Every structure is written in structure tokens, then in C-alpha cells.
Amino acid sequence: MNITNVVDAQKQYFKTGATLPISFRLAALKKLRKEITAQENAICEALHLDFKKPYFEAVITETSIILKELDEFISNLKSWSKTEKVTSSLLNFPSSAYIYKEPYGNTLVISPWNYPFQLAIAPLIGAVAAGNTVILKPSELTLHTANILSSIIAKVFDKGHVTVVQGDKDVSQELLSKVWDYVFFTGSVRVGTIVAKACAEHLTPVTLELGGKNPCIVHESAKIATTARRLVWGKFINAGQTCIAPDYILVHTSIKKVLVTALKKEIEAFYGSDPEQSPDFARISHKGNFERLSKMLKDSKLICGGTTNEEDLYISPTLLDEPALNSNAMETEIFGPILPIISYTTEEDIHKYVSHYHKPLSFYVFAEQKAFADKLLKKYSFGGGVKNDSIVHFVNKNLPFGGVGQSGMGAYHGKRSFETFSHKKSVVKRGTWIDIPLKYAPYKNKLKWIKSVLKWT
């Protein structure tokens, strides 16, 4: 595939104005929804072939989220797209003022391998709904899902409207060397830095959905059984390969033993005594991540788990006991089924760990003591947080999803996806039936009058 030709074709398509009518956008979204519904089993099968993702998880974390997002856009796109009238300035009397919602133009979406269907289609929906053209670059590490994405897109959209470009990092770099009107990237902080630099070359606006060391604080007032169940689900779904998964637990010393016991009990309840045989536990998506995660086990004290099978890219649900800050597991985001358990005594102990890292994408507190939870949720900066659960904030369409600092920039989901891919154009329409000369030269004896007017604007 000649990337230059593909990009040029998209530019020409956008120039025709085909994507501008709301009726065109709605038709495309409805057609996409119909095709995804028809292909849902095939999508789930592709995800299973890529890393043995359970069908249940494929539905609740990939296809169902996308179908709900499409329903939200189809229901609300007309109202979201309307020109917004705002209060006019007295300085411009007589006039009216408006905000027009217009597409940026040609957009690039680069999606990751951990949720390879959902995190490819979700931003694409926002881009299409806002009237843009899209080139989607899915991860080459989940090839079966990339192939079905390519098939679905080809059936639904004109080539110049939305196109899938497959390939390795060299293809991504070539795409990033082109001039775009908007870029949307989901992935690691390291690659996000590369994307940001490429966008800076052309002053291209960009959304970066990245990650970080997401802390989970368990207070002595927490309900242990519920906490353990919700933590095991939030951490080990998708084999821990979730950017908003709890990265490490800070648990009060007084309840550490009972929490560990409860976590071990829930892991077995979820996946049996041998999780490798469980149909409900996914595998590591690719060899590179498997090798990186395996190194984290070598310098850590195991509480449970730690079993690996390189041939099957399997790593068991694993709990680590008090790893050092300079250990492999604590130096970087884990992004796998490994969960460090670290005890704390005071809030200063919590601060030592949380402040050691950059601002996280997510932050979790388990506590029945409201004042403690509220204090921490206000004290620290993070993308999104939850009290008494983990990762569930992601599914609320009314909450913006995105990071802060090194965990990302920009946000999306629901209406905010439409806003992300829309330029808000300010327009003033002035009347000509009167033209007050106060602002025009000569300015002699006008300053006191203009000051009086400014007080009221």
C-alpha cells in the first residue's frame, strides 16, 4: 500500500464536502453499527485467536461498549452538531454571536493491542460523527483483530472516507511524517512522546491516551471481601493488560494479611486452582510484553502465582510481597497480571509512593471512612478515579476519559468524543442599521465613555 497515495486520496475526499452533511454521517454510523452487530461473533473469535480473550470479556469490554457508543451518537448527533448561539458583546452592538461545530479534516487514529477492537473503533466513531475522514492504524501485534477491522471498515465506508492501514512501527512512523489535521493515539508513554514530537513538527492537535502507575489504597475501614472481589476483577480482566488497571496496592498494615488471604481466595474462585486451564483467563498479547513481565518476577518475593508458559504466553495471576521501589515491578507500569502488595501505616507512607511517580491515569481508594477517601481523591492529580471499585469509571459515557501529565492529554467518550474531533469556530454577525462611532479615531474625549461601556461588557 502506498501511504502517500492513501493520504492524498483522503484529502481529496474531504475537499469534496461529502462528509459534511449530518445525514451522511448518521448513515455511516448506522451502517457501522449494523456491520459490527452482524460480525460480533467473528470479532470475538479474532480476539480469542490473538490472545485467548474470553468471549464474555470480548463482549463486555469491546463490542458492547462500541455498540452503546454508536447508539449514543446516533441518538444525539443532530443536537450536538447544531450551531450554538451565545451572548453577544455590547462592544459589538448590534450583533449576534455563534459557535459553529466543524470537522478538523483529515485525521489519523493509532490504536493499541490490549483492547484492539474497542480502542480502535471508539475514537473512529467520534471522528466520523464530527465529519472527518480517518486513517486507522491498528496494532500489528493483534493481527486477527486488525484483519477483521480492515474487513469491517472496507464494507462500511468509502475508501477515501475511512481506510485501515496495517503495518509495523515503520508504517506508523511514515504515517506520522505526513501532515494531519488531527491525531489520536492510544498506547504507551514512550511511544506517546514520539507521537507528540511528530505532531509538534506541524503544530497538529493531538489526543494522547497513555498510562501510568495507578495506585490503589486500601484503608483499614474497607470491606475486605468486597474489596478483594472487585480488585481481582479489575486487575486480572484481560490478563491485567488494561491501562486503568490497579498497578499496585497500598494496604494498611493492620489488614494486609486478611486482604491477601481474601485476594488469593477470589483468584481461585475466579480462575480455579490452575488458572492456565481456565477458559476465563486471557493470555499476554505478544512475546515482547511476556518477556518484560517475566523479568518482574525474578527480583520479587511471590505471595502466590508466578507461573509462566512462554509457548502459550501465559502468566498466572500473581501477587508480589513488598517489592522495592527500584525493583522491575515498581519502576514502570506493569500492564499484566502481576499485582504488588505494599503495606502502609501513615498517610505519609502513601504519599511517598504516590508522589514517587508521575500523575497516574487512574486512582483507586477502598474505604468506608468517607473523609479518608474524599481527602485522597482531592489531594492527588489523576485522570479518573473510583471509590470502592476499580476501572468502572470507564463505562460512564457522561465522564470524560483521559489522562493528565504523562498519563495523557485530552479526553473522549460520548459527547466529548464528538467535541474532541470538532473545531469550534467562533462567528460574529453584525448589523448595519446603526454604527456607533465610539471606537473609531479620533479618540479625543472618548476614553471615559469607552471605560463606562467596558464595565458593562
Side-chain angles (χ1 to χ4, degrees), residues 325-342:
L325 271 173
N326 62 352
S327 64
N328 282 319
M330 296 303 291
E331 280 192 327
T332 60
E333 181 182 6
I334 291 174
F335 219 73
I338 300 170
L339 184 57
I341 313 293
I342 301 163

Side-chain angles (χ1 to χ4, degrees), residues 1-13 106 108 135 159-160 163-166 170-180:
M1 179 181 290
N2 187 307
I3 290 175
T4 298
N5 290 344
V6 173
V7 174
D8 287 345
Q10 295 248 309
K11 290 180 178 179
Q12 291 303 316
Y13 193 92
N106 306 112
L108 171 66
I135 287 183
K159 263 192 174 181
T163 304
V164 173
V165 173
Q166 296 197 54
D170 292 334
V171 171
S172 295
Q173 289 174 350
E174 185 176 355
L175 285 167
L176 287 168
S177 70
K178 306 299 181 182
V179 179
W180 300 95

Side-chain angles (χ1 to χ4, degrees), residues 15 106-107 111 129 156 164 189 227 279 283 287 347-348 353 356 367 396 437:
K15 287 180 180 178
N106 306 112
T107 66
S111 60
V156 171
V164 173
V189 175
T227 297
R283 296 302 186 258
K287 189 174 181 181
E347 288 186 32
E348 287 73 22
Y353 280 90
H356 181 76
N396 188 336

Side-chain angles (χ1 to χ4, degrees), residues 214-417:
N214 303 321
C216 177
I217 293 88
V218 182
H219 188 253
E220 59 261 46
S221 67
K223 291 184 176 180
I224 298 299
T226 302
T227 297
R229 188 179 308 114
R230 291 177 180 180
L231 275 175
V232 168
W233 178 77
K235 175 61 182 181
F236 297 112
I237 195 170
N238 209 47
Q241 297 164 116
T242 306
C243 60
I244 55 175
D247 197 89
Y248 62 99
I249 292 177
L250 294 173
V251 56
H252 194 272
T253 304
S254 64
I255 60 166
K256 179 186 173 185
K257 287 184 179 179
V258 68
L259 177 66
V260 166
T261 299
L263 288 169
K264 290 163 69 175
K265 178 183 176 181
E266 291 299 336
I267 290 171
E268 184 166 352
F270 276 39
Y271 307 115
S273 57
D274 183 6
E276 189 170 5
Q277 303 306 315
S278 172
D280 300 323
F281 189 70
R283 296 302 186 258
I284 306 306
S285 289
H286 60 94
K287 189 174 181 181
N289 197 36
F290 176 87
E291 293 173 345
R292 186 185 65 84
L293 291 166
S294 297
K295 290 178 183 178
M296 294 182 183
L297 303 175
K298 294 180 179 178
D299 63 351
S300 300
K301 181 181 178 182
L302 299 178
I303 294 174
C304 68
T307 304
T308 64
N309 181 346
E310 184 173 0
E311 185 176 340
D312 197 31
L313 296 182
Y314 166 77
I315 297 178
S316 63
T318 300
L319 303 180
L320 304 182
D321 191 26
E322 304 286 346
L325 271 173
N326 62 352
S327 64
N328 282 319
M330 296 303 291
E331 280 192 327
T332 60
E333 181 182 6
I334 291 174
F335 219 73
I338 300 170
L339 184 57
I341 313 293
I342 301 163
S343 57
Y344 79 87
T345 303
T346 67
E347 288 186 32
E348 287 73 22
D349 297 333
I350 295 174
H351 187 72
K352 171 188 172 183
Y353 280 90
V354 176
S355 63
H356 181 76
Y357 304 105
H358 294 286
K359 297 174 181 179
L361 182 58
S362 296
F363 188 98
Y364 306 115
V365 184
F366 285 81
E368 291 303 299
Q369 190 180 103
K370 183 178 182 296
F372 175 84
D374 289 348
K375 181 179 180 180
L376 293 188
L377 290 169
K378 290 177 181 178
K379 179 176 181 178
Y380 295 104
S381 179
F382 49 84
V386 184
K387 175 187 173 185
N388 289 332
D389 208 339
S390 64
I391 80 173
V392 295
H393 58 300
F394 183 86
V395 300
N396 188 336
K397 68 180 187 297
N398 299 311
L399 291 173
F401 179 78
V404 59
Q406 288 209 3
S407 61
M409 63 175 71
Y412 71 125
H413 283 185
K415 185 179 181 181
R416 286 173 179 82
S417 293

Side-chain angles (χ1 to χ4, degrees), residues 54-88:
Y55 187 96
F56 183 89
E57 289 187 10
V59 171
I60 67 167
T61 68
E62 307 249 13
T63 57
S64 68
I65 289 176
I66 290 303
L67 291 173
K68 281 185 65 179
E69 187 85 338
L70 281 164
D71 289 340
E72 176 76 1
F73 272 80
I74 291 167
S75 297
N76 295 291
L77 182 57
K78 286 183 179 178
S79 62
W80 293 346
S81 303
K82 287 180 179 177
T83 297
E84 181 182 350
K85 187 174 183 180
V86 298
T87 303
S88 187

